[in-house]
Structure formats: C-alpha cells, structure tokens
C-alpha cells in the first residue's frame, strides 16, 4: 500500500473498487489472520440432482434426494444443485443484466464501517414481483425483463427446496409452503472488481445469511466456506456450469433446533477479473416469526433458539458491524 489512504469515506461512484486504484487503501485491509490464501484448496461440496424431485419420478428416487439434501444441510449447510429447472438462457440473462447494470456506475458501496469491503452492489425486493419491479433500475433496458424472469424461476426453486428441507426434517413438504410463497425475497447483486492486492482484502467478511435459504448464481469462483472442514480452513467453492449454490440460513437453523447449521461464508477477490454474484435470499414475511418446530423439541433436545423475524434481523444489522464478528444467530441462541 502506498501513502496514508486510510479514509473510509468515499462518495458514491468514487470508492476504491469503482476507481480501479493500483493499491488497496488501509480501510480495505483485513487483519493478517483473516486474510485469504493465495492458493486456496477446493471445497468438496455435495452436488444434488433435483430432477429426481419431479412428478413421475419413482418414490425411491425421491427418498434418495430428500436424504441427500438432509445430509448436506446437516454436514455442511451448503450444497449445489443441478437439473433445477431454470434454463441456461435465464441464468445467462441474469448475469448479463447484473453485469451491464454495474457498467452504468449507479451501484452502491458499503457504509462507513471500520473495515470496507471490495465490492459494489444493488439490493432489491422481488416477491411478489408485481409489487416491486417498477422500483427496479430502468437501465440497462433489459434489466427488468432478464432479472424478473430469473427472480420468478428462482422463487419456484426456493419453494421446491424448502419443501425438501422440511420433509428431510420429518415435518412434511408443505410445512412452510404458504408462508414461503407469501414471504420475502431479497435479491443481492454483487460486483467484485479486480483488486490489486487480493491477498489482503475481501469482497465480503465471514457471515451467515439471516434467511431461511439463499440460492446463489456466480459468474466464476470466489465464494469460500469452512463448512465440512475439520481443520477450519477456508476452501473455495467450485463453479459447475449451470449449477446453483444453496446456503442454509439462520432461520433454518432455528427451525431445525440446530440439526441444520447456517453456513459461514465469505467472498474472496481476483486481481484480473470482475466477478458477479446474484444471491436470492428467501425468508418468511417481514414480521412473521420463525420458531423452532415443536416436533424437534423433547427432553433430550430442549429448545435452543428464540424466535425472530426478518425485521428483527434488520434491527440487529442497524446496530452491529458484521466485520467485527457479531452474528445474528448468536443473539438467538438460548443459554443453557
């Protein structure tokens, strides 16, 4: 790093990631123990074929995939899905819309936290689409059409996955169906421009998602997880063409009474390429409380979490800095 570029106050459009600086300002540098490896190992992530959940599939095939999803939620809190029903042209259209949007230079940056992160982003609501789409950007011209098509399809996929997850818990496939259909869908478009020193900065710090589940599409690898690794090392999630990544969120951990854990993840950077990721976060309604399923509580497994809503998470976020390691899920755990 050169000079004393320590200020974390950058006007919109003038942050370090947007300006293409040849150095990393001090406010973007993370502490040495938290810096990413220059040669990360690849995570061994379950890849689940969702074609076996379609109608007409033999029952034993359905049982197999439900078990695979349950195992992945229990062991890693993370998996990838293929044959998910969203065509490649819709996936490509969403990435194209996001990429073109960021070229307009109208994105946002992180606030004035002590440590800044090397990303620019846009977040918007998407369910029901008719309620929100008129508030989305009008540039580029194809943004609403392409992103709207993707949001509609990924909402259907979220319903399918939630049904499989609750079925794997023994709660049945329709346990949360109505609440999820009427719930919140937040789309986070993230742009991670090339970083001159990707070994000292991050795109996003370690965190879990407040949601029930997150479905993510990425243009190329950059997502790292520690799940399933006994040595605690961060490992890079591989990108499979056409696959989508599924994160177990905090509210599934609450629902399952800790049987399924929300996955801790972060975003690493690249010195040469801009990475785009589109995260679709699915939750219950803004004020709908997620509670632990009574069926999963007994004398041997007492209730371990307080109930909470999406609004409770937003209140937490307004008062805390996740870069300092504070997590929403820890505020929900009942001390024993």
């Amino acid at each position: 790093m050169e000079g004393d570029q320590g200020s974390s106050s950058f006007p919109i459009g003038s942050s370090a990631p947007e300006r293409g600086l040849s150095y990393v300002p001090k406010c973007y540098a993370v502490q040495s123990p938290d810096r990413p490896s220059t040669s990360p190992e690849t995570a061994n992530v379950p890849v689940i074929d969702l074609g076996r959940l379609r109608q007409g599939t033999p029952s034993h095939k359905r049982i197999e995939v439900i078990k695979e999803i349950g195992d992945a939620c229990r062991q890693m809190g993370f998996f990838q899905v293929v044959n998910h029903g969203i065509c490649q042209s819709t996936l490509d259209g969403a990435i194209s819309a996001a990429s073109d949007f960021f070229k307009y230079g109208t994105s946002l940056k992180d606030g004035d936290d002590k440590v800044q992160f090397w990303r620019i982003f846009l977040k918007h609501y998407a369910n029901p689409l008719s309620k929100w789409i008129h508030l989305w950007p009008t540039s580029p011209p194809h943004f609403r059409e392409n992103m709207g098509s993707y949001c509609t399809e990924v909402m259907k996929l979220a319903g399918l996955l939630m049904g499989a997850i609750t079925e794997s818990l023994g709660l049945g496939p329709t346990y949360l169906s109505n609440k999820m259909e009427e719930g919140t869908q937040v789309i986070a478009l993230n742009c991670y421009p090339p970083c001159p020193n990707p070994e000292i900065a991050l795109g996003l710090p370690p965190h879990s998602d407040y949601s029930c589940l997150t479905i993510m599409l990425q243009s190329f690898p950059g997502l790292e997880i520690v799940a399933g690794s006994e040595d605690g090392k961060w490992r890079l999630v591989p990108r499979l063409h056409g696959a989508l990544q599924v994160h177990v969120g905090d509210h599934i951990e609450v629902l399952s009474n800790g049987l399924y854990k929300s996955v801790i993840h972060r975003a690493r950077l690249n010195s040469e390429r801009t990475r785009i990721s589109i995260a679709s976060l699915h939750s219950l309604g803004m004020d709908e409380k997620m509670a632990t399923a009574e069926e999963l509580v007994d004398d041997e497994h007492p209730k371990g979490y307080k109930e909470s809503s999406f609004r409770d998470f937003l209140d937490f976020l307004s008062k805390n800095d996740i870069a300092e390691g504070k997590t929403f899920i820890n505020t929900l755990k009942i001390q024993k």
Side-chain angles (χ1 to χ4, degrees):
M1 291 183 289
E2 301 174 10
D4 186 24
Q5 292 83 13
S7 173
S8 63
S9 180
F10 294 112
I12 298 300
S14 300
S15 64
E18 293 169 288
R19 291 164 62 195
L21 299 181
S22 60
Y23 61 89
V24 173
K26 287 183 178 179
C27 61
Y28 287 89
V30 298
Q31 296 296 315
S32 294
D34 302 321
R35 292 180 177 179
S37 168
T38 55
S39 54
E41 298 177 23
T42 300
N44 184 17
V45 176
V47 178
I48 298 177
D49 183 346
L50 295 185
R52 293 168 293 167
L53 286 179
R54 297 195 181 104
Q55 288 186 344
T57 303
S59 59
H60 71 279
K61 292 292 185 181
R62 178 181 175 81
I63 291 171
E64 283 179 2
V65 73
I66 294 297
K67 183 180 184 303
E68 288 175 14
I69 288 173
D71 289 345
C73 290
R74 183 179 299 105
Q75 295 165 10
M76 297 192 78
F78 185 88
F79 53 97
Q80 299 205 68
V81 292
V82 296
N83 289 332
H84 42 64
I86 304 179
C87 66
Q88 189 62 47
S89 62
T90 299
L91 303 181
D92 294 342
I95 289 290
S96 173
S99 180
D100 288 348
F101 168 77
F102 289 113
K103 290 176 183 176
Y104 276 77
T106 55
S107 52
L108 304 178
K109 69 177 188 68
D110 289 304
D112 293 324
D113 294 330
K114 294 178 182 177
V115 177
Q116 295 285 296
F117 297 98
W118 201 270
R119 72 159 183 166
I120 46 183
F121 67 93
L122 169 71
K123 291 183 181 179
H124 56 64
Y125 291 97
N127 185 55
L129 191 62
S130 59
K131 178 181 178 180
W132 299 107
I133 195 168
H134 71 283
L135 299 173
W136 293 4
T138 55
S139 298
H142 62 283
F143 182 87
R144 291 183 178 180
E145 179 181 358
N146 286 13
M147 198 59 66
S149 296
Y150 177 72
C151 291
T152 298
E153 293 302 312
V154 83
M155 188 70 189
K156 296 175 186 176
L157 176 58
L160 180 70
L161 288 168
M162 278 301 303
I165 289 171
T166 56
E167 186 172 352
S168 73
L169 286 167
L171 302 173
T174 61
Y175 186 83
L176 288 175
S177 294
N178 292 337
K179 290 182 178 180
M180 290 300 293
E181 287 173 7
E182 299 172 0
T184 303
Q185 180 186 19
V186 176
I187 300 295
L189 311 179
N190 296 301
C191 175
Y192 304 101
C195 178
N197 299 107
E199 70 282 359
I200 65 172
L202 286 170
L204 274 177
H207 67 285
S208 62
D209 291 341
Y210 63 85
S211 56
C212 293
L213 59 84
T214 300
I215 300 172
M216 197 186 81
L217 171 66
Q218 57 179 344
S219 60
F220 68 87
L223 179 69
E224 290 188 326
I225 60 175
V226 289
S229 112
E230 294 182 359
D231 55 15
K233 285 185 179 179
W234 287 98
R235 287 181 167 83
L236 185 65
V237 173
R239 178 181 180 272
L240 303 178
H241 182 68
L244 293 166
Q245 290 79 46
V246 181
H247 303 62
V248 170
D250 293 345
H251 276 168
I252 289 299
E253 181 169 333
V254 170
L255 173 72
S256 70
N257 205 23
L259 288 174
Y260 296 169
K261 301 293 186 183
S262 55
V263 63
I264 305 296
H265 54 286
R266 70 181 186 182
R268 66 179 292 116
L269 300 166
N270 186 284
S271 62
E272 299 176 355
R273 302 169 62 189
T274 294
R275 175 173 168 263
I276 299 291
S277 74
I278 305 174
S280 183
L281 297 97
H282 300 267
S283 306
L284 304 185
M286 183 68 71
D287 295 301
E288 184 79 38
K289 298 284 188 179
M290 175 64 85
T292 298
E294 293 181 3
E295 297 88 335
L296 302 177
V297 176
D298 55 32
D299 291 341
E300 293 184 9
H301 307 92
K303 184 178 178 182
Y305 300 83
K306 295 178 284 188
E307 64 180 25
S308 69
S309 67
F310 182 19
R311 193 179 302 278
D312 293 330
F313 167 75
L314 295 179
D315 290 342
F316 165 84
L317 201 60
S318 69
K319 300 171 184 175
N320 295 277
D321 180 1
I322 62 171
E324 296 179 350
K326 297 176 182 177
T327 63
F328 180 56
I329 190 66
N330 283 341
T331 69
L332 303 180
K333 293 179 180 177
I334 297 173
Q335 299 300 319
K336 300 178 182 179

